[in-house]
Amino acid sequence: MSAEELPALLRSWGLGDDAIIRSFSDNDVSVDRLLGLTEEEIKELIPKVGPRSTFKSKLKEFAPALQARTPSTSATSTSNDEQIEQDLDDVDDGEPTAKKARQDTDSLSPDEFRESLLKAPEVNNLHTVLKSQLRGLMVLGHHKTHEVLDSDCRDHLCELVINNELASDHSKLIEDEGFLKLAEKIKKLFPTEEIETWHASSRDSKGNLVVTGRLRTKYDAVRRGLIRANLIESRRSAKKSNNSVIPDDSFNADDDPEISWLMTNDSPWTEVLTKWDASVAVRRQIVLHLKYYSEYIEKFPALRTQLGWELIAQDGVAIEAKLAQPDWRKWVDVMIKLIRREKGKSEFLKETNLSDGHKFAAVWLALPSLWNVKTIPKSPAAGKKDTCWRPSMSEIQHGVCIHATTVPEIIEKVSAKKLTLTTYHFGLLPLPVLLGPVENIRQCFIVLDEQRWEVDSVFEAVFGVFRMSFGLHSNYPPEARHAWLFVQQTLFNIQTANDYQKYPRLKATIAARLKEFSLLSS
């Protein structure tokens, strides 16, 4: 057995962290011993909940292959494997689990179940295509058993659809309308799917049509492969113009009387509020001309007081009419169900007697795990030779929240984040910061560069950052924009015309999760 076999397997499962691999190595755990691990041993090997849930999910998925390697598995190992199966399946979250959904099909043998799929009345020609291929039957069988598709099934389905479209004409050009028709076929065959997962179109800042979604992404990937294989000719791509905004250096707001007063005073607070409100139009121009938001804080001393963040949040007047105090407890309940339904997250928050604040903190920290890591578009300030940023899951997590146990750790993580953002020509934006273990958050802050404002709760930190993002006209951290947009539309129930303008592909990225949230809410 190769010494690299287990590390390679863990990396293929998305568990390539050096600490995890070293933990297995130090404890002499080999591939053949995986099925014999107890729940306590798994917790010891992988202390963190997220990676541990991923490991258990992958272990369950690959159990048949691992059993084939070790046919003489002992009764003890079998018992442990059954316990893992039970732990992953037997979750009561108020929704039908996969185990419950299988009750109607469990009475059928595999041959009978396959025959029932083949004899089912055909819904459309896509149904016919799926019946004729092994992967297609797998997708149909998964949907009939679980009533929803998972990410793997969506990948298989997408590949089958595009390959079928290009089978007779490798160079076939599929445009917006063609992708829409394919998405509608998928929706008709699988009613729980959201069309925008498969096809979404919007206009960019110049009015050009941008087509996104799983179908377009797979289509482009297949075409690139065909071009490299010299099977089709490439199309000349349109040159993208540089949309960066060049500031007007002649702008000077310092002569404005309200601005001049605010630059030198932070009290009395009633006067600050009056002059802050009166200068909103001028300060908007200041914000648009800033390179870094830390300059804004340096410019106005009132922002460095304990309530300074509220001044910035107050400027988000465009959303104030729509924005009410959301029912975050109900949102947390739905999110717990959603995270539990995600493969490998069945152990999430199974403890009883947890406070609402603890639940919100746990959900917030788990939020990035609902999406895969993706490369993000370049900053408008980046040059042609600059590389695109493919943030790690840890970097995405820090775009949602900084979680630390000490104040020096906060400073260290913010400094590291600032360095990464500078490398890719992005600026630092407001972030919620949680201090202490998840089960006992001691302090909550809103942080912008070196400035920290303490707030009373995790939700207030998140709510404050959300409002500040509108007040600074700054969107969200680019590495975690998908997560913030999801929260904007589910927790705060707000949609704006600018949501996808600079990042049109995000519409397809979050569509499936929005659909799942809607189904679970109802």
Side-chain angles (χ1 to χ4, degrees):
M1 185 190 313
S2 169
E4 277 298 308
E5 187 175 20
L6 181 59
L9 180 64
L10 291 174
R11 291 189 189 101
S12 72
W13 288 0
L15 298 168
D17 186 271
D18 290 341
I20 294 177
I21 292 175
R22 188 164 53 250
S23 177
F24 278 78
S25 176
D26 291 346
N27 287 277
D28 295 326
V29 179
S30 65
V31 172
D32 293 335
R33 294 178 179 177
L34 292 179
L35 288 178
L37 294 174
T38 66
E39 178 69 20
E40 289 303 316
E41 288 170 341
I42 293 174
K43 284 185 179 179
E44 184 177 346
L45 289 166
I46 311 177
K48 293 185 177 180
V49 174
R52 184 167 70 246
S53 298
T54 299
F55 173 81
K56 290 169 65 176
S57 171
K58 290 295 184 181
L59 182 60
K60 175 186 173 184
E61 181 181 344
F62 283 81
L66 295 173
Q67 287 171 339
R69 288 171 54 103
T70 55
S72 58
T73 303
S74 67
T76 301
S77 298
T78 302
S79 175
N80 290 334
D81 185 51
E82 290 172 351
Q83 181 61 45
I84 291 173
E85 180 82 17
Q86 180 179 351
D87 288 343
L88 291 172
D89 279 343
D90 192 15
V91 181
D92 183 10
D93 60 1
E95 292 295 321
T97 63
K99 189 174 181 179
K100 295 174 184 176
R102 287 198 298 266
Q103 289 176 351
D104 292 339
T105 59
D106 277 347
S107 58
L108 299 177
S109 69
D111 287 341
E112 291 171 333
F113 183 60
R114 182 169 56 252
E115 192 66 22
S116 71
L117 294 176
L118 292 170
K119 290 183 176 180
E122 292 181 356
V123 176
N124 50 32
N125 60 344
L126 172 59
H127 197 176
T128 307
V129 171
L130 296 185
K131 284 184 179 183
S132 67
Q133 302 192 44
L134 180 60
R135 283 192 178 184
L137 279 176
M138 183 178 70
V139 174
L140 292 170
H142 188 282
H143 185 266
K144 185 170 183 178
T145 301
H146 302 276
E147 299 181 344
V148 294
L149 296 180
D150 62 11
S151 182
D152 289 340
C153 283
R154 291 190 184 106
D155 287 341
H156 294 321
L157 177 57
C158 195
E159 186 172 357
L160 289 168
V161 170
I162 295 301
N163 287 350
N164 182 66
E165 285 297 302
L166 301 182
S168 58
D169 180 4
H170 297 343
S171 60
K172 179 180 179 179
L173 300 181
I174 306 178
E175 303 294 348
D176 178 54
E177 186 177 350
F179 288 118
L180 177 58
K181 288 181 179 179
L182 292 174
E184 288 173 342
K185 289 181 181 179
I186 293 172
K187 172 72 173 177
K188 187 172 183 179
L189 185 55
F190 304 104
T192 56
E193 286 299 290
E194 182 66 37
I195 281 185
E196 287 183 340
T197 299
W198 301 94
H199 166 73
S201 61
S202 57
R203 298 283 175 179
D204 62 17
S205 57
K206 290 198 166 186
N208 300 317
L209 182 67
V210 179
V211 179
T212 60
R214 279 180 175 261
L215 292 171
R216 175 59 188 266
T217 301
K218 176 60 69 175
Y219 171 73
D220 288 344
V222 171
R223 277 190 59 87
R224 285 194 296 270
L226 292 172
I227 291 169
R228 286 195 297 269
N230 200 30
L231 293 175
I232 63 173
E233 293 182 355
S234 63
R235 291 183 293 174
R236 183 178 299 175
S237 59
K239 294 182 179 180
K240 294 184 178 180
S241 59
N242 188 349
N243 293 327
S244 58
V245 178
I246 301 175
D248 177 9
D249 293 331
S250 63
F251 176 78
N252 187 354
D254 294 354
D255 295 334
D256 183 277
E258 281 83 12
I259 296 296
S260 297
W261 189 91
L262 288 167
M263 288 173 61
T264 55
N265 295 275
D266 61 6
S267 63
W269 194 249
T270 53
E271 188 75 5
V272 170
L273 292 174
T274 300
K275 293 189 180 298
W276 191 264
D277 187 56
S279 62
V280 62
V282 179
R283 284 185 296 95
R284 175 181 171 82
Q285 292 302 313
I286 293 176
V287 168
L288 293 176
H289 284 73
L290 290 175
K291 185 175 182 180
Y292 300 110
Y293 291 118
S294 57
E295 299 172 15
Y296 197 49
I297 297 173
E298 287 299 318
K299 199 175 189 71
F300 302 112
L303 294 180
R304 300 193 290 275
T305 65
Q306 180 56 38
L307 297 178
W309 70 272
E310 291 191 355
L311 294 175
I312 298 176
Q314 179 181 313
D315 286 344
V317 292
I319 65 163
E320 289 299 332
K322 303 177 183 179
L323 192 58
Q325 188 80 357
D327 187 351
W328 60 268
R329 290 175 178 82
K330 180 179 179 181
W331 182 82
V332 164
D333 290 341
V334 178
M335 287 301 299
I336 290 173
K337 295 176 184 178
L338 178 57
I339 294 170
R340 284 178 178 172
R341 281 181 51 165
E342 179 67 6
K343 187 187 340 184
K345 300 293 190 297
S346 58
E347 295 295 319
F348 183 70
L349 288 183
K350 290 188 71 174
E351 300 89 342
T352 58
N353 300 322
L354 297 177
S355 70
D356 291 336
H358 173 214
K359 290 180 181 178
F360 185 87
V363 166
W364 192 257
L365 291 171
L367 190 63
S369 67
L370 291 175
W371 293 273
N372 295 326
V373 170
K374 291 189 177 184
T375 303
I376 64 175
K378 283 185 181 181
S379 162
K384 291 182 178 179
K385 294 184 179 180
D386 290 316
T387 58
C388 289
W389 184 17
R390 187 176 179 83
S392 65
M393 184 56 72
S394 175
E395 288 172 330
I396 295 173
Q397 176 69 66
H398 290 164
V400 169
C401 178
I402 298 289
H403 185 209
T405 54
T406 63
V407 171
E409 188 182 353
I410 295 175
I411 298 172
E412 179 184 344
K413 288 187 175 182
V414 171
S415 297
K417 179 178 178 62
K418 187 176 179 180
L419 180 61
T420 301
L421 290 170
T422 302
T423 301
Y424 294 100
H425 305 279
F426 290 106
L428 195 64
L429 295 169
L431 283 172
V433 171
L434 311 184
L435 192 63
V438 179
E439 63 274 10
N440 183 28
I441 300 295
R442 299 192 305 275
Q443 287 177 289
C444 302
F445 301 96
I446 296 172
V447 169
L448 179 53
D449 208 337
E450 297 180 1
Q451 180 65 40
R452 292 196 306 273
W453 298 282
E454 186 171 1
V455 293
D456 293 334
S457 67
V458 179
F459 174 73
E460 188 174 349
V462 170
F463 194 28
V465 168
F466 176 75
R467 294 171 60 208
M468 287 178 71
S469 297
F470 280 85
L472 290 171
H473 317 286
S474 60
N475 297 312
Y476 303 117
E479 71 275 25
R481 182 172 173 78
H482 58 293
W484 280 99
L485 269 180
F486 173 83
V487 173
Q488 175 189 308
Q489 296 188 28
T490 55
L491 175 58
F492 299 109
N493 196 28
I494 290 176
Q495 299 184 46
T496 75
N498 298 324
D499 286 347
Y500 306 106
Q501 193 173 64
K502 293 182 181 179
Y503 303 93
R505 295 185 183 277
L506 291 186
K507 195 171 189 178
T509 299
I510 68 173
R513 294 301 184 203
L514 290 172
K515 179 69 172 182
E516 289 176 86
F517 185 91
S518 176
L519 291 172
L520 289 172
S521 297
S522 59

